[in-house]
Amino acid sequence: MRKTTQLLIIGITSLIMISCGLGGLAQIGLDSKPTDDRTTLQSTEIVESSPMQNQEQANILENTPTPTVDPLIASKSCLAKTWEIKGLSDYVLAAVPPELAEEYSLEYKDTTGSAYLKLTSGEKMELQIKDLEFLFNARFSIFTVPVTVKIDGIADGTYQVEDNTLRFNDINTSGLTASAKAMDEDIMEPDQIINAIPFVRPPYNTATYSCQGDMLTLELSGYPDNTPPLVFQAVR
């Protein structure tokens, strides 16, 4: 009887322990399942939302305006320098009345002095000429004599840019002096020389220009077609 009772107690205890074990396993399964579901759900949401985020970023990039450079500002940035003028002798010779050049068979020899064109970003211009002398030879009868054209002083005014055209306006030349002499005799009036200087008066005040770095080239209107472009070198 006692032995049977002990077996019964052992059996009941084993059942209780098995039940508790199964219950614990069931609880562990129940507790862990939501965690797995949430993780899976979050992963799915991340995967599903990534294309949307990419599309939004693409839309933002597409709708963001591309920065553009104002051509006028870019032109002024290049032009706003002090330029040394090269080859001005061709323009001085072109300013000589054709009948006078033919009569005296003018031949260019040399240039001394300097000339500068200063342009600012505020569309101001200043022509600075320092003891500029152009030396020519001329024939008088059977003689060859030197001819000297002198220009000195400062002229100022304004300029404007439109596409690839540069136009100079309202040039004040009262600060300029000029002369052209052969054997100490004047052969041209000062105003005739000054008014033929590039930039000063129509039609010589308009030019097609090309500006790249430290080089500026002007093809001025009003001069003979065979007159070469005026070339400038930036100095500061």
Side-chain angles (χ1 to χ4, degrees), residues 15-61:
L15 288 173
I16 292 172
M17 291 177 65
I18 291 171
S19 299
C20 291
L22 291 174
L25 290 174
Q27 183 65 36
I28 292 172
L30 290 172
D31 291 341
S32 61
K33 186 174 182 180
T35 303
D36 293 339
D37 291 342
R38 286 196 300 270
T39 303
T40 303
L41 180 60
Q42 290 173 356
S43 300
T44 303
E45 290 174 350
I46 291 172
V47 171
E48 291 177 352
S49 63
S50 293
M52 183 179 296
Q53 291 174 350
N54 292 337
Q55 184 61 45
E56 289 177 352
Q57 292 174 355
N59 291 339
I60 291 172
L61 291 174

Side-chain angles (χ1 to χ4, degrees), residues 111-213:
T111 300
T112 60
S114 56
Y116 301 92
L117 177 65
K118 181 180 180 180
L119 303 176
T120 72
S121 57
E123 298 186 342
K124 301 293 184 182
M125 68 83 71
E126 185 176 87
L127 181 60
Q128 306 167 349
I129 301 177
K130 300 179 180 179
D131 299 320
L132 195 60
E133 291 189 5
F134 303 98
L135 306 178
F136 300 89
N137 279 342
R139 293 188 61 85
F140 286 86
S141 184
I142 62 173
F143 302 100
T144 299
V145 299
V147 174
T148 302
V149 178
K150 294 183 178 181
I151 308 173
D152 187 68
I154 294 176
D156 56 32
T158 63
Y159 76 92
Q160 65 185 86
V161 179
E162 184 176 346
D163 296 329
N164 64 337
T165 300
L166 188 61
R167 180 175 289 104
F168 299 90
N169 304 307
D170 306 319
I171 309 301
N172 178 10
T173 60
S174 61
L176 291 177
T177 60
S179 65
K181 293 181 179 291
M183 297 184 298
D184 292 328
E185 295 291 332
D186 290 324
I187 60 173
M188 291 179 65
E189 293 295 326
D191 287 347
Q192 189 177 12
I193 300 170
I194 291 173
N195 289 336
I197 295 174
F199 330 126
V200 170
R201 295 283 185 272
Y204 309 121
N205 66 327
T206 302
T208 301
Y209 80 95
S210 172
C211 185
Q212 294 182 346

